[in-house]
Amino acid sequence: MSLPTDIRPVAASVYFIPVATRMPLKFGSETLTHVTVARVKLTVQDRQGNTAVGWGETPLSVQWVWPSTTLSTQHRLDVMKRFVIDLAKAWAQFDSYGHALEVGHDFIEEMLPVLMAGSVSQISNLESDMQEITQAMPHLAALVCCSPFDLALHDAYGKLHSLPTYQTYNKQFMSCDLASFLEPAQGSDVSFAGLFPSDFLIAKPPAKLKAWHLVGGLDLLSDADRTGSEPDDGYPVTLEQWLERDGLSCLKIKLRGNDAAWDYQRIVAVADLLDRCAERRYAASGCRDDGWLTADFNCTVTDAVYVNAILDHLRDEQPRAYQRLLYVEQPFPYDLEKHRIDVHSVSARKPLFMDESAHDWQLVKLGRSLGWTGVALKTCKTQTGAILSACWAKAHGMTLMVQDLTNPMLAQIPHVLLAAHVGTIMGVETNGMQFYPDASKPEEAVHPGLYRRRDGHVDISTIEGPGFGYRLDEIERELPAPAIEILGG
C-alpha cells in the first residue's frame, strides 16, 4: 500500500572530513590516531514532487570495523571511501518509495549485498612472497559506509513532513507493520502483527542522559602514569582529571581479552579510582553516586572460561567492583554464525551485551539463542537497522544500550537521540569529547550540552525541529569540496 507521505532518494553528495585524535584509542590489537568522517547530503522527493534535504554522518573507523594483520590501515580506508562513492551512486538512483525505514530496509536488503560482492580489494601480501590475494570488505564495514546515507534518509523524511523523525515511526506514516520486517524467536509467543516502532519507543524521552566515559587500553589513570609526552591542550589527560572535570560516574573499560592478569588488574584499578572520586564528591556535596562499570573485550576472547574466571575472581576478591559491573560487552568474535559459542555461563553471572556481532535483528535473534541477554545499538550500523534491532530485542525481553563510535560533529546527534528514544540500561556512551573535542567546536556552539559532559550527563534539550533537529543553519562549519555529487533519475 502506498501513502502520499512516501519518499524516495533522488540525489546524493559525499564529503570526507579528516579528524586527528589528541590521544590514541586502542581497538583490540590496533590503535586509532586519526579517522575520516563521511558526511552525506541526501535529497528525497515525495510522489507529489516535493523535496527535502537530509544529512547523515559516520566516522569510518577502520580499526573497529575491519581489523586486519595483513592490510594497512590506509588501504582499508581507501577501500571504504571508494565504497562510499559507489553507495552515493546507488542511493541516488534507488527507485523505491516508502517511509524512510521501509526504503532503508529495502536498500540494505537488496542493494548492499550486490554492492559488497563487487567491492573486493586486491592486495599484495608481503608475508607470502608478494602473492596477490583477495580480501572482501566485512559486512560491518559495509554497514558503516552505508549508515550516513541511511541517517540522511531518515533526517530528510522528517524534514519533508516538518516533524521530528521519531514522531514518524507509526501507522500514520508507515505502510508496513513490524511483521513485514521481523520474525519472532522460535517457540516464543511474540507477534509483530499490527505493531510499529512507536510501540517500542519512549514517547517522552528525557532531556538529559547519563554519560559513559571510555577508558581505553592506553589511557592514563592518574598523574602517576604520566610520561611527559601527553598533549598540553587544556583538556584532561588522565581518567582522574576527566572524572573530576565532568562529574562522571559511569566508565566503560577496554580490555585485552588475551591477558587475564592485566584485564583483572585494570578493572580493579579503574574501580578503585572511581571509588576515591565518588568519596570526594560525597564529602563535598553529601550526594552519593558510587557509579557503574562495564567491561569491553572487543571480540578478542574465544572461550567463555576466560571471562568467567575474571568475573569469579572479582566476585571473590573484589566484591564491590563486581557489584558495580553493570554488564559485559562483546568478549567473543563478532561472526556469530562462524563462532557459535554458548555464552549462557557468562550471562548467568552478568548481563552480556552484543555489540560488533549485532549487525541486524537476525543476528540478535541468533545471539539470544546462544545466551546473550542484551544488545548494544549503534547508529553507525544504520538507523534503520538500529530501530528494527531495538524493536526485536525489546519484544523478546532483551536489554538495550547505545554505544559510541567516538562520534564527533553531526554524528553525535542521532547517536544520543537513539539512546533517548529506545530506553537503555543506563544512559549513553559518549566519548568524542575525549579523543577529538576540537573537531566539534561549530556544533558545540549550538548544542553545548552534547559535546561537553556536565555532572556526569549530556543534555539533549537543544535538539529541536524537524528531522534529527540538527539546527544545521545555525552551525558555522565550512565543508570541504564534495568527493562526489550525484543527481539520480
Side-chain angles (χ1 to χ4, degrees):
M1 181 181 70
S2 64
L3 294 174
T5 52
D6 290 347
I7 55 98
R8 59 154 294 196
V10 294
S13 301
V14 173
Y15 306 83
F16 291 124
I17 307 172
V19 177
T21 63
R22 58 180 291 269
M23 301 281 280
L25 172 57
K26 200 169 189 303
F27 281 111
S29 61
E30 298 193 69
T31 301
L32 184 148
T33 57
H34 60 278
V35 68
T36 296
V37 177
R39 181 177 288 200
V40 166
K41 174 184 176 183
L42 193 73
T43 303
V44 303
Q45 179 178 292
D46 66 14
R47 297 181 186 277
Q48 293 75 44
N50 302 306
T51 62
V53 171
W55 294 82
E57 185 177 272
T58 301
L60 303 180
S61 293
V62 175
Q63 293 86 345
W64 183 70
V65 303
W66 192 351
S68 176
T69 58
T70 57
L71 296 177
S72 70
T73 301
Q74 187 61 50
H75 180 89
R76 285 172 279 160
L77 175 60
D78 289 343
V79 172
M80 290 179 68
K81 289 171 71 175
R82 287 199 300 270
F83 192 64
V84 171
I85 298 298
D86 292 341
L87 282 165
K89 301 172 186 176
W91 272 100
Q93 298 165 1
F94 189 54
D95 189 14
S96 176
Y97 275 98
H99 182 278
L101 190 80
E102 296 161 350
V103 175
H105 177 266
D106 288 347
F107 188 94
I108 293 166
E109 292 296 313
E110 298 172 14
M111 295 301 299
L112 195 60
V114 174
L115 293 167
M116 280 188 64
S119 182
V120 178
S121 61
Q122 301 289 330
I123 68 169
S124 292
N125 185 350
L126 298 178
E127 297 181 1
S128 59
D129 299 323
M130 303 296 290
Q131 180 182 3
E132 188 179 71
I133 65 172
T134 62
Q135 185 177 104
M137 182 173 58
H139 183 52
L140 180 57
L143 283 174
V144 165
C145 292
C146 189
S147 65
F149 297 92
D150 186 73
L151 285 162
L153 178 74
H154 286 254
D155 181 48
Y157 186 88
K159 287 181 177 176
L160 186 63
H161 301 300
S162 301
L163 286 171
T165 296
Y166 277 90
Q167 292 184 18
T168 72
Y169 295 128
N170 53 51
K171 187 176 182 179
Q172 179 183 351
F173 294 95
M174 295 182 62
S175 300
C176 303
D177 64 11
L178 286 172
S180 303
F181 307 102
L182 308 176
E183 296 176 359
Q186 187 174 2
S188 75
D189 59 359
V190 170
S191 172
F192 292 105
L195 296 179
F196 294 84
S198 58
D199 293 300
F200 295 94
L201 300 175
I202 296 173
K204 295 182 179 179
K208 291 184 178 181
L209 296 168
K210 200 88 162 175
W212 284 80
H213 176 96
L214 176 66
V215 185
L218 301 177
D219 286 11
L220 311 179
L221 300 189
S222 65
D223 285 342
D225 298 325
R226 297 177 67 131
T227 64
S229 62
E230 298 79 28
D232 184 15
D233 55 7
Y235 297 104
V237 296
T238 69
L239 175 59
E240 188 168 19
Q241 290 173 338
W242 281 114
L243 288 168
E244 294 295 343
R245 195 196 80 153
D246 290 359
L248 301 165
S249 60
C250 295
L251 302 177
K252 170 178 170 174
I253 310 169
K254 288 279 189 181
L255 301 175
R256 294 179 178 176
N258 56 11
D259 186 340
W262 189 94
D263 287 347
Y264 173 81
Q265 290 299 332
R266 187 67 166 178
I267 295 172
V268 172
V270 172
D272 285 347
L273 180 57
L274 183 58
D275 267 342
R276 294 198 299 273
C277 289
E279 288 301 326
R280 287 200 293 268
R281 284 185 206 141
Y282 178 66
S285 67
C287 297
R288 171 68 69 180
D289 184 357
D290 290 338
W292 295 96
L293 306 169
T294 181
D296 180 6
F297 292 85
N298 265 122
C299 309
T300 50
V301 181
T302 57
D303 192 335
V305 172
Y306 181 96
V307 182
N308 291 340
I310 292 174
L311 293 177
D312 290 349
H313 194 185
L314 286 170
R315 180 198 62 206
D316 297 340
E317 302 296 331
Q318 299 286 335
R320 182 170 171 79
Y322 181 82
Q323 183 182 25
R324 292 159 68 195
L325 197 64
L326 190 61
Y327 65 95
V328 173
E329 182 181 335
Q330 194 71 51
F332 308 108
Y334 76 73
D335 190 343
L336 288 191
E337 293 177 307
K338 181 179 179 181
H339 302 277
R340 300 197 177 209
I341 302 171
D342 188 309
V343 299
H344 285 88
S345 62
V346 181
S347 58
R349 290 164 166 82
K350 286 290 179 179
L352 183 61
F353 278 59
M354 308 169 67
D355 181 6
E356 287 87 347
S357 60
H359 296 346
D360 51 41
W361 70 267
Q362 291 100 329
L363 287 170
V364 174
K365 179 181 177 182
L366 173 59
R368 181 177 178 270
S369 71
L370 295 171
W372 299 80
T373 56
V375 183
L377 304 171
K378 279 187 167 81
T379 51
C380 69
K381 299 176 192 175
T382 74
Q383 175 78 2
T384 294
I387 294 296
L388 292 177
S389 292
C391 294
W392 195 95
K394 292 183 81 169
H396 290 85
M398 300 180 76
T399 311
L400 301 180
M401 186 57 190
V402 171
Q403 299 287 34
D404 208 350
L405 193 62
T406 315
N407 290 314
M409 301 180 288
L410 289 190
Q412 170 79 336
I413 293 176
H415 165 65
V416 295
L417 282 177
L418 179 65
H421 284 87
V422 300
T424 67
I425 189 171
M426 182 173 293
V428 64
E429 181 193 350
T430 176
N431 57 60
M433 60 284 291
Q434 296 173 234
F435 295 97
Y436 24 64
D438 287 347
S440 303
K441 285 296 184 183
E443 290 76 17
E444 184 179 1
V446 178
H447 303 285
L450 282 180
Y451 302 92
R452 167 76 187 264
R453 302 164 302 195
R454 293 173 173 82
D455 297 322
H457 292 77
V458 287
D459 187 332
I460 69 172
S461 61
T462 56
I463 301 174
E464 57 185 27
F468 287 129
Y470 293 132
R471 296 167 58 187
L472 202 60
D473 58 338
E474 302 174 54
I475 297 173
E476 297 181 359
R477 173 171 294 283
E478 184 175 346
L479 293 175
I484 190 172
E485 293 181 297
I486 298 291
L487 180 63

